[in-house]
Amino acid sequence: MPPKFFITHSWKDIDFARKLCDDLRANGLDGFFDAYSIKPGDLISKEISDGLEKCDVYVPILSHAALKSPWCDEEIHAALTLGKFPGRSGRPRIIPILVEDCQEAMPILLRTRLYIMFDGCYDDAFRELLIKGFGVALQTPTPKSQPPEVLALPSPKVVSLLRRIMSPAHSIIHPKAKKEMILVPAGEFVMGDDKGGKDEKPSHKVFLNAFYISRYPVTNAEYKKFVDATKHRIPRHWQNEEIPTGNENDPVVYVSWEDAVGYCKWAGVRLPTEAEWEKAASWDDAKKLKRVYPWGDEFDADKCNTSESKIGDTTPVGKYSPQGDSEYGVGDMAGNVWEWCADWYDGNYYKNSPAQNPQGPDSRSQRVLRGGSWNLSRDFARCAIRDHVNPHNRSYVIGFRVAESFPGVGSVS
């Protein structure tokens, strides 16, 4: 069986990585390349771990951008560590590929390895990679045209374009917040529900730029790091300034909108808009259909924490994953806790809502809540349901999750 590859790359080098993967496949090889191997809803960390475990040849595509990327750094060190495990005999073999003159910036453990320079000589370098790296003779000549230009720093025009294009679905671990953030690609979705409450009407099409949203709400343990670092006030249900035993991985509650914004500023993220929240919860991109609940149109008490579950309290985030996740793989969007959104609330906002990237009204007296909670019924767990309270409110059923615009910290890197 031909050796399998794993390609690590910076987002700025995506065109080169795609071409390299296509040429490797044209020559009878197969392996892991995120744009082809990861599908919406996949748990990214698991797919990457499986891909590294199975690969025989690890191919990090190195540029100045890649060497500054926390995501690339994590994959490179994982491959280096994996090769040292007993019984693996050094597998995967690591073959650095340089698309820029960046040797001086390479980690010392990569500088000691023989690399292949692809900058300006793609055909010869590809032939060397096949023969010396994979032990495979060239079957399909590579195109004579020049490979896509590799940009060290994207121009404002390129960044603007990236904000709008459909991007391969994937997630990142945010470098500061340390939360898994799932990419929701740019595009239209249907917001609202004509069968729902008055403030959910009319349903209307909305275009959103690509964005990241946290896979789960912020937990007590995550919020405590913020409290310890900033001396921010603690949620009032914490005992002796400590999280109640056993609730470390439950969503944090008794946090006001201002508390949530304070956490976001500290963690380098933001609250999602209610349009972003609803798209991440309800939209099936492949079928271009809106779901009533994150998992589908029929309620299922085994897929969320609502009053039908008869638990009577918050549950750890991820308890209902993956069966209760949205199509994008975002969890805990039905029940458990209401979640703060960035927007001011207006019950008539949908009648004149912008068709692109709505941000809510400029000012009102209450902020939007989404998602329902553990003490309410299935009717309040619908993706389109809207609620609202004073931003100073601190309740035992209100928490929050975080978001980030695309490209953001760790996304285009």
PDB file of all heavy atoms in Angstrom, residues 310-329:
ATOM      1  N   LYS A 310     -36.047  16.551  32.906  1.00  0.00           N
ATOM      2  CA  LYS A 310     -36.278  16.366  34.343  1.00  0.00           C
ATOM      3  C   LYS A 310     -34.975  16.301  35.143  1.00  0.00           C
ATOM      4  O   LYS A 310     -34.889  15.635  36.177  1.00  0.00           O
ATOM      5  CB  LYS A 310     -37.134  15.121  34.599  1.00  0.00           C
ATOM      6  CG  LYS A 310     -38.490  15.147  33.894  1.00  0.00           C
ATOM      7  CD  LYS A 310     -39.352  13.970  34.285  1.00  0.00           C
ATOM      8  CE  LYS A 310     -40.660  13.939  33.480  1.00  0.00           C
ATOM      9  NZ  LYS A 310     -41.424  15.182  33.572  1.00  0.00           N
ATOM     10  N   ILE A 311     -33.955  17.008  34.672  1.00  0.00           N
ATOM     11  CA  ILE A 311     -32.679  17.059  35.398  1.00  0.00           C
ATOM     12  C   ILE A 311     -32.728  18.139  36.467  1.00  0.00           C
ATOM     13  O   ILE A 311     -32.208  17.975  37.570  1.00  0.00           O
ATOM     14  CB  ILE A 311     -31.515  17.304  34.415  1.00  0.00           C
ATOM     15  CG1 ILE A 311     -31.371  16.094  33.478  1.00  0.00           C
ATOM     16  CG2 ILE A 311     -30.205  17.567  35.157  1.00  0.00           C
ATOM     17  CD1 ILE A 311     -30.368  16.281  32.368  1.00  0.00           C
ATOM     18  N   GLY A 312     -33.321  19.268  36.123  1.00  0.00           N
ATOM     19  CA  GLY A 312     -33.519  20.317  37.105  1.00  0.00           C
ATOM     20  C   GLY A 312     -32.301  21.152  37.430  1.00  0.00           C
ATOM     21  O   GLY A 312     -32.247  21.805  38.473  1.00  0.00           O
ATOM     22  N   ASP A 313     -31.305  21.180  36.536  1.00  0.00           N
ATOM     23  CA  ASP A 313     -30.098  21.978  36.773  1.00  0.00           C
ATOM     24  C   ASP A 313     -29.290  21.996  35.481  1.00  0.00           C
ATOM     25  O   ASP A 313     -29.621  21.294  34.513  1.00  0.00           O
ATOM     26  CB  ASP A 313     -29.272  21.378  37.911  1.00  0.00           C
ATOM     27  CG  ASP A 313     -28.323  22.399  38.549  1.00  0.00           C
ATOM     28  OD1 ASP A 313     -28.186  23.511  37.990  1.00  0.00           O
ATOM     29  OD2 ASP A 313     -27.732  22.081  39.598  1.00  0.00           O
ATOM     30  N   THR A 314     -28.212  22.778  35.496  1.00  0.00           N
ATOM     31  CA  THR A 314     -27.325  22.776  34.342  1.00  0.00           C
ATOM     32  C   THR A 314     -26.613  21.432  34.223  1.00  0.00           C
ATOM     33  O   THR A 314     -26.472  20.693  35.201  1.00  0.00           O
ATOM     34  CB  THR A 314     -26.271  23.891  34.456  1.00  0.00           C
ATOM     35  OG1 THR A 314     -25.544  23.732  35.684  1.00  0.00           O
ATOM     36  CG2 THR A 314     -26.921  25.263  34.427  1.00  0.00           C
ATOM     37  N   THR A 315     -26.155  21.124  33.030  1.00  0.00           N
ATOM     38  CA  THR A 315     -25.386  19.915  32.776  1.00  0.00           C
ATOM     39  C   THR A 315     -24.051  20.300  32.142  1.00  0.00           C
ATOM     40  O   THR A 315     -23.927  21.370  31.531  1.00  0.00           O
ATOM     41  CB  THR A 315     -26.134  18.955  31.830  1.00  0.00           C
ATOM     42  OG1 THR A 315     -26.591  19.685  30.682  1.00  0.00           O
ATOM     43  CG2 THR A 315     -27.307  18.311  32.521  1.00  0.00           C
ATOM     44  N   PRO A 316     -23.026  19.461  32.256  1.00  0.00           N
ATOM     45  CA  PRO A 316     -21.733  19.777  31.644  1.00  0.00           C
ATOM     46  C   PRO A 316     -21.862  20.002  30.148  1.00  0.00           C
ATOM     47  O   PRO A 316     -22.633  19.301  29.464  1.00  0.00           O
ATOM     48  CB  PRO A 316     -20.885  18.531  31.941  1.00  0.00           C
ATOM     49  CG  PRO A 316     -21.517  17.927  33.154  1.00  0.00           C
ATOM     50  CD  PRO A 316     -22.982  18.185  33.009  1.00  0.00           C
ATOM     51  N   VAL A 317     -21.120  20.956  29.621  1.00  0.00           N
ATOM     52  CA  VAL A 317     -21.163  21.208  28.189  1.00  0.00           C
ATOM     53  C   VAL A 317     -20.656  19.961  27.460  1.00  0.00           C
ATOM     54  O   VAL A 317     -19.766  19.265  27.931  1.00  0.00           O
ATOM     55  CB  VAL A 317     -20.323  22.441  27.804  1.00  0.00           C
ATOM     56  CG1 VAL A 317     -20.827  23.677  28.526  1.00  0.00           C
ATOM     57  CG2 VAL A 317     -18.846  22.227  28.071  1.00  0.00           C
ATOM     58  N   GLY A 318     -21.257  19.674  26.329  1.00  0.00           N
ATOM     59  CA  GLY A 318     -20.870  18.500  25.554  1.00  0.00           C
ATOM     60  C   GLY A 318     -21.570  17.220  25.955  1.00  0.00           C
ATOM     61  O   GLY A 318     -21.371  16.188  25.303  1.00  0.00           O
ATOM     62  N   LYS A 319     -22.399  17.261  27.000  1.00  0.00           N
ATOM     63  CA  LYS A 319     -23.116  16.058  27.436  1.00  0.00           C
ATOM     64  C   LYS A 319     -23.968  15.493  26.306  1.00  0.00           C
ATOM     65  O   LYS A 319     -24.137  14.271  26.193  1.00  0.00           O
ATOM     66  CB  LYS A 319     -23.998  16.385  28.647  1.00  0.00           C
ATOM     67  CG  LYS A 319     -24.918  15.249  29.093  1.00  0.00           C
ATOM     68  CD  LYS A 319     -25.761  15.659  30.296  1.00  0.00           C
ATOM     69  CE  LYS A 319     -26.823  14.621  30.637  1.00  0.00           C
ATOM     70  NZ  LYS A 319     -26.220  13.333  31.051  1.00  0.00           N
ATOM     71  N   TYR A 320     -24.488  16.371  25.448  1.00  0.00           N
ATOM     72  CA  TYR A 320     -25.397  15.926  24.386  1.00  0.00           C
ATOM     73  C   TYR A 320     -24.734  15.957  23.006  1.00  0.00           C
ATOM     74  O   TYR A 320     -25.423  15.971  21.990  1.00  0.00           O
ATOM     75  CB  TYR A 320     -26.656  16.794  24.399  1.00  0.00           C
ATOM     76  CG  TYR A 320     -27.445  16.638  25.673  1.00  0.00           C
ATOM     77  CD1 TYR A 320     -27.296  17.535  26.733  1.00  0.00           C
ATOM     78  CD2 TYR A 320     -28.321  15.568  25.846  1.00  0.00           C
ATOM     79  CE1 TYR A 320     -28.007  17.384  27.915  1.00  0.00           C
ATOM     80  CE2 TYR A 320     -29.041  15.402  27.022  1.00  0.00           C
ATOM     81  CZ  TYR A 320     -28.875  16.315  28.049  1.00  0.00           C
ATOM     82  OH  TYR A 320     -29.578  16.157  29.222  1.00  0.00           O
ATOM     83  N   SER A 321     -23.413  15.953  22.983  1.00  0.00           N
ATOM     84  CA  SER A 321     -22.690  15.907  21.703  1.00  0.00           C
ATOM     85  C   SER A 321     -22.270  14.472  21.396  1.00  0.00           C
ATOM     86  O   SER A 321     -21.935  13.716  22.311  1.00  0.00           O
ATOM     87  CB  SER A 321     -21.442  16.786  21.760  1.00  0.00           C
ATOM     88  OG  SER A 321     -21.759  18.144  21.797  1.00  0.00           O
ATOM     89  N   PRO A 322     -22.248  14.095  20.107  1.00  0.00           N
ATOM     90  CA  PRO A 322     -22.602  14.940  18.962  1.00  0.00           C
ATOM     91  C   PRO A 322     -24.075  14.897  18.580  1.00  0.00           C
ATOM     92  O   PRO A 322     -24.494  15.593  17.674  1.00  0.00           O
ATOM     93  CB  PRO A 322     -21.748  14.340  17.852  1.00  0.00           C
ATOM     94  CG  PRO A 322     -21.731  12.865  18.181  1.00  0.00           C
ATOM     95  CD  PRO A 322     -21.681  12.797  19.694  1.00  0.00           C
ATOM     96  N   GLN A 323     -24.870  14.059  19.243  1.00  0.00           N
ATOM     97  CA  GLN A 323     -26.236  13.839  18.781  1.00  0.00           C
ATOM     98  C   GLN A 323     -27.100  15.102  18.831  1.00  0.00           C
ATOM     99  O   GLN A 323     -28.041  15.247  18.051  1.00  0.00           O
ATOM    100  CB  GLN A 323     -26.912  12.702  19.579  1.00  0.00           C
ATOM    101  CG  GLN A 323     -27.191  13.018  21.040  1.00  0.00           C
ATOM    102  CD  GLN A 323     -26.045  12.687  21.959  1.00  0.00           C
ATOM    103  OE1 GLN A 323     -24.917  12.558  21.514  1.00  0.00           O
ATOM    104  NE2 GLN A 323     -26.323  12.544  23.262  1.00  0.00           N
ATOM    105  N   GLY A 324     -26.778  16.024  19.737  1.00  0.00           N
ATOM    106  CA  GLY A 324     -27.573  17.235  19.837  1.00  0.00           C
ATOM    107  C   GLY A 324     -26.951  18.444  19.163  1.00  0.00           C
ATOM    108  O   GLY A 324     -27.479  19.555  19.272  1.00  0.00           O
ATOM    109  N   ASP A 325     -25.835  18.240  18.457  1.00  0.00           N
ATOM    110  CA  ASP A 325     -25.136  19.354  17.820  1.00  0.00           C
ATOM    111  C   ASP A 325     -25.861  19.857  16.578  1.00  0.00           C
ATOM    112  O   ASP A 325     -26.650  19.131  15.954  1.00  0.00           O
ATOM    113  CB  ASP A 325     -23.720  18.937  17.416  1.00  0.00           C
ATOM    114  CG  ASP A 325     -22.816  18.690  18.609  1.00  0.00           C
ATOM    115  OD1 ASP A 325     -23.230  18.989  19.747  1.00  0.00           O
ATOM    116  OD2 ASP A 325     -21.702  18.185  18.391  1.00  0.00           O
ATOM    117  N   SER A 326     -25.536  21.073  16.193  1.00  0.00           N
ATOM    118  CA  SER A 326     -26.044  21.629  14.945  1.00  0.00           C
ATOM    119  C   SER A 326     -25.276  21.022  13.772  1.00  0.00           C
ATOM    120  O   SER A 326     -24.300  20.283  13.961  1.00  0.00           O
ATOM    121  CB  SER A 326     -25.879  23.148  14.930  1.00  0.00           C
ATOM    122  OG  SER A 326     -24.509  23.500  14.753  1.00  0.00           O
ATOM    123  N   GLU A 327     -25.690  21.355  12.561  1.00  0.00           N
ATOM    124  CA  GLU A 327     -25.022  20.829  11.374  1.00  0.00           C
ATOM    125  C   GLU A 327     -23.556  21.251  11.331  1.00  0.00           C
ATOM    126  O   GLU A 327     -22.712  20.526  10.814  1.00  0.00           O
ATOM    127  CB  GLU A 327     -25.737  21.301  10.111  1.00  0.00           C
ATOM    128  CG  GLU A 327     -25.131  20.818   8.805  1.00  0.00           C
ATOM    129  CD  GLU A 327     -25.188  19.316   8.613  1.00  0.00           C
ATOM    130  OE1 GLU A 327     -25.967  18.647   9.330  1.00  0.00           O
ATOM    131  OE2 GLU A 327     -24.469  18.801   7.751  1.00  0.00           O
ATOM    132  N   TYR A 328     -23.238  22.406  11.886  1.00  0.00           N
ATOM    133  CA  TYR A 328     -21.851  22.872  11.895  1.00  0.00           C
ATOM    134  C   TYR A 328     -21.021  22.219  12.997  1.00  0.00           C
ATOM    135  O   TYR A 328     -19.811  22.425  13.057  1.00  0.00           O
ATOM    136  CB  TYR A 328     -21.809  24.392  12.069  1.00  0.00           C
ATOM    137  CG  TYR A 328     -22.367  25.157  10.902  1.00  0.00           C
ATOM    138  CD1 TYR A 328     -23.565  25.861  11.018  1.00  0.00           C
ATOM    139  CD2 TYR A 328     -21.722  25.180   9.670  1.00  0.00           C
ATOM    140  CE1 TYR A 328     -24.094  26.565   9.943  1.00  0.00           C
ATOM    141  CE2 TYR A 328     -22.237  25.877   8.593  1.00  0.00           C
ATOM    142  CZ  TYR A 328     -23.425  26.572   8.738  1.00  0.00           C
ATOM    143  OH  TYR A 328     -23.942  27.270   7.669  1.00  0.00           O
ATOM    144  N   GLY A 329     -21.683  21.480  13.893  1.00  0.00           N
ATOM    145  CA  GLY A 329     -20.966  20.847  14.986  1.00  0.00           C
ATOM    146  C   GLY A 329     -20.912  21.681  16.248  1.00  0.00           C
ATOM    147  O   GLY A 329     -20.080  21.441  17.124  1.00  0.00           O
TER     148      GLY A 329
END
